[in-house]
């Protein structure tokens, strides 16, 4: 018997809030539901939190429902209010460029073929010609100010100040839901739980303006074990664009997932069957040192975002850095990304090895570096160095890169550059 998509979402921990659960289940069971999720171009790339929304959209599409992926060409010009303060407005040209970049990213996660083919829409198409009078009469009339003031993010900004621009953002997002309801019969909006107030405001606008009942569903915020979230505003964004975060660094972030969170991430970010995930959890509990769950998570998510070739490259780089594969076989881009992640320093050709070990942070002092060499624990490009007076001017990789290693687990990189 096929699992109902709502049951699958709940089992994977992907439902934080929803409107009338029974009514939503009934509509999802009755036939294809057109649903949408939106992304504002507030950066050149989407990130981990956006990825969760795209994968949720894909799960609904695989269950037979029809996705609309909205890229916010107009809402991106405004910016959703944040607890941390007013956003810096980006130029129209910048936002337009980011719309194009994000559109190309979202297109790889949903299918544009078949009866429930996806459609990408841009809310600038229906907002750019709306005049102020019509907006206030047709949209603003349905929003009691007292309810807008009760929104948590707005209440938190009242003392420090919030512009009317950001205060009115909820009207624009709600208008999107109304417009998509009128154009395509959209009856479900999904998003992160931090968007719940905006999403339900759209549900209420449709009820007031059209007398219709539609649905809302939000996913939980993805957090680390200590409760802190991933995100660009916290400096820990997992960007999906390989130019902003290399596939190797992306892979390594998932490898480093905490034991207490890795199974949760496997349920939420992969399409593995839940039974297989439980088997992985059991095997990981028996042999925690092998990080079986983390390796599977990193492989699955990196393949989804960057492709299987980048998974193989990341796995090969991880092995090569620690002497379990050939460094010479790594492409320069992969090796450089791996060494940058480990810690890459620039030194002059002819720099003594002991100095390079200190500069790289692998040891605290030259005496410690000499001890590492005499104890047989210093390596250059995976070759043990026995001469404490050795210098870095011989064999390099890709014309200047050197892999430094202390013992079995501590790795750094040096790039030889003439001053």
């Amino acid at each position: 018997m096929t699992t109902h998509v709502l049951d699958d979402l709940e089992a994977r921990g992907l439902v934080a809030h929803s409107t009338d659960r029974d009514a939503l289940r009934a509509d999802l069971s009755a036939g294809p539901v057109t649903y949408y999720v939106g992304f504002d171009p507030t950066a050149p790339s989407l990130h981990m939190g956006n990825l969760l929304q795209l994968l949720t959209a894909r799960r609904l599409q695989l269950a037979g429902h029809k996705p609309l992926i909205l890229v916010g060409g107009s809402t991106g010009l405004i910016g959703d209010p944040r607890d941390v303060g007013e956003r810096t407005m980006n130029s129209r040209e910048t936002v337009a460029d980011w719309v194009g970049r994000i559109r190309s990213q979202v297109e790889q996660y949903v299918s544009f073929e078949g009866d429930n083919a996806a459609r990408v829409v841009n809310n600038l198409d229906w907002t750019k010609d709306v005049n102020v009078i019509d907006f206030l009469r047709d949209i603003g009339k349905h929003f009691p100010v007292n309810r807008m003031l009760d929104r948590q993010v707005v209440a938190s900004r009242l003392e420090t100040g919030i512009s009317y621009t950001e205060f009115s953002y909820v009207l624009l997002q709600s208008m999107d839901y109304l417009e998509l309801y009128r154009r395509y019969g959209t009856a479900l909006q999904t998003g992160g739980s931090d968007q719940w107030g905006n999403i339900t405001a759209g549900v209420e606008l449709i009820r007031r303006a059209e007398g219709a009942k539609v649905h809302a569903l939000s996913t939980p915020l993805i957090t680390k074990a200590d409760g802190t979230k991933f995100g660009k505003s916290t400096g820990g964004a997992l960007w999906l664009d390989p130019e902003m975060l290399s596939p190797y660094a992306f892979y390594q972030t998932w490898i480093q997932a905490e034991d207490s969170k890795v199974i949760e991430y496997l349920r939420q970010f992969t399409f593995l069957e839940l039974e297989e995930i439980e088997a992985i959890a059991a095997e990981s509990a028996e042999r925690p040192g092998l990080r079986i769950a983390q390796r599977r998570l990193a492989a699955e998510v990196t393949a989804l975002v960057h492709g299987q070739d980048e998974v193989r490259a990341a796995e090969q780089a991880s092995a090569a850095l620690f002497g379990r594969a050939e460094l010479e076989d790594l492409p320069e881009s992969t090796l450089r990304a791996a060494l940058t992640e480990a810690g890459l320093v620039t030194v002059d050709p002819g720099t003594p090895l002991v100095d390079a070990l200190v500069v790289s942070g692998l040891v605290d002092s030259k005496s410690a570096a000499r001890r590492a060499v005499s104890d047989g624990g210093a390596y250059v490009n995976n070759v043990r160095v026995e001469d404490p007076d050795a210098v870095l001017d011989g064999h390099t990789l890709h014309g200047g890169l050197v892999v430094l290693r202390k013992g079995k687990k501590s790795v750094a990189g040096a790039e030889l550059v003439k001053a």
Side-chain angles (χ1 to χ4, degrees):
M1 182 176 177
T2 303
T3 302
H4 193 284
V5 65
L6 193 55
D7 291 333
D8 183 62
L9 293 176
E10 289 175 335
R12 291 179 181 274
L14 288 171
V15 180
H17 310 286
S18 76
T19 49
D20 189 329
R21 193 77 55 96
D22 292 336
L24 174 58
R25 177 183 296 275
D27 283 354
L28 290 170
S29 300
V33 170
T34 299
Y35 62 96
Y36 97 94
V37 59
F39 303 95
D40 277 349
T42 55
S45 172
L46 298 177
H47 53 75
M48 175 189 187
N50 304 133
L51 176 62
L52 187 68
Q53 303 311 317
L54 288 167
L55 299 183
T56 301
R58 180 61 177 161
R59 294 183 202 280
L60 285 163
Q61 186 179 33
L62 290 172
H65 305 289
K66 185 173 182 178
L68 298 175
I69 309 298
L70 184 148
V71 181
S74 64
T75 43
L77 292 167
I78 302 302
D80 194 19
R82 305 173 298 171
D83 292 334
V84 295
E86 198 81 6
R87 292 180 183 271
T88 300
M89 282 193 178
N90 296 300
S91 70
R92 291 178 182 272
E93 293 74 20
T94 296
V95 172
D97 176 57
W98 291 354
V99 164
R101 289 170 179 254
I102 289 172
R103 184 186 182 107
S104 66
Q105 285 185 324
V106 303
E107 288 176 345
Q108 76 181 74
Y109 297 98
V110 289
S111 172
F112 291 85
E113 299 178 352
D115 293 337
N116 64 333
R119 181 193 298 265
V120 177
V121 295
N122 183 343
N123 57 16
L124 189 61
D125 292 342
W126 56 81
T127 57
K128 66 179 186 297
D129 296 324
V130 174
N131 65 55
V132 175
I133 297 300
D134 289 343
F135 180 73
L136 293 176
R137 286 176 60 88
D138 299 339
I139 304 299
K141 183 67 175 176
H142 297 294
F143 283 82
V145 171
N146 59 317
R147 291 188 60 182
M148 295 174 67
L149 290 171
D150 283 341
R151 294 181 62 218
Q152 182 179 351
V153 67
V154 172
S156 70
R157 292 272 301 280
L158 288 179
E159 289 189 10
T160 56
I162 180 171
S163 68
Y164 178 76
T165 299
E166 290 195 0
F167 179 66
S168 62
Y169 177 93
V170 64
L171 277 72
L172 286 176
Q173 182 168 328
S174 299
M175 186 171 70
D176 290 341
Y177 200 172
L178 176 62
E179 188 67 24
L180 294 176
Y181 171 81
R182 288 171 171 169
R183 291 188 178 204
Y184 306 108
T186 305
L188 170 64
Q189 182 183 176
T190 66
S193 58
D194 59 336
Q195 289 292 309
W196 185 242
N198 290 334
I199 296 172
T200 54
V203 171
E204 178 66 10
L205 175 60
I206 293 171
R207 186 191 69 80
R208 287 170 175 260
E210 297 290 329
K213 184 175 182 179
V214 294
H215 305 287
L217 184 147
S218 73
T219 61
L221 291 181
I222 303 304
T223 62
K224 304 172 189 176
D226 62 3
T228 58
K229 66 179 182 178
F230 297 89
K232 59 183 182 293
S233 62
T234 61
L238 264 178
W239 299 110
L240 305 188
D241 187 332
E243 294 182 0
M244 296 178 67
L245 184 71
S246 73
Y248 177 83
F250 184 88
Y251 176 91
Q252 285 298 318
T253 302
W254 296 103
I255 281 283
Q256 294 161 14
E258 298 145 309
D259 290 340
S260 61
K261 300 290 286 187
V262 64
I263 301 303
E264 176 184 322
Y265 297 158
L266 273 169
R267 294 191 190 104
Q268 295 171 330
F269 285 94
T270 78
F271 289 90
L272 297 176
E273 295 293 336
L274 292 172
E275 293 79 4
E276 184 176 359
I277 293 174
E278 292 310 309
I280 293 170
E283 187 178 5
S284 297
E286 291 177 3
R287 298 187 290 173
L290 298 181
R291 300 183 72 75
I292 295 168
Q294 282 87 347
R295 293 182 185 281
R296 187 60 182 276
L297 173 68
E300 292 288 333
V301 183
T302 304
L304 280 170
V305 176
H306 297 297
Q308 195 60 48
D309 287 347
E310 292 294 354
V311 175
R312 286 190 287 268
E315 291 174 340
Q316 185 181 12
S318 298
L321 288 186
F322 297 96
R324 300 190 300 275
E326 295 299 323
L327 288 167
E328 288 81 359
D329 293 341
L330 297 180
E332 180 180 0
S333 60
T334 301
L335 178 60
R336 184 176 293 277
L339 292 179
T340 299
E341 187 73 6
L344 181 62
V345 298
T346 301
V347 299
D348 295 326
T351 296
L353 172 61
V354 293
D355 289 350
L357 290 172
V358 174
V359 172
S360 68
L362 290 176
V363 296
D364 296 330
S365 63
K366 290 185 179 181
S367 59
R370 290 183 177 277
R371 278 197 305 274
V373 174
S374 63
D375 292 343
Y379 297 80
V380 173
N381 296 335
N382 289 334
V383 176
R384 180 181 286 118
V385 178
E386 298 178 349
D387 180 5
D389 296 320
V391 298
L392 301 182
D393 64 357
H395 176 61
T396 63
L397 302 164
H398 299 293
L401 294 174
V402 174
V403 178
L404 304 174
R405 177 156 57 91
K406 175 180 173 288
K408 295 181 178 180
K409 296 183 179 181
S410 300
V411 173
E415 183 170 15
L416 276 56
V417 178
K418 291 183 180 180

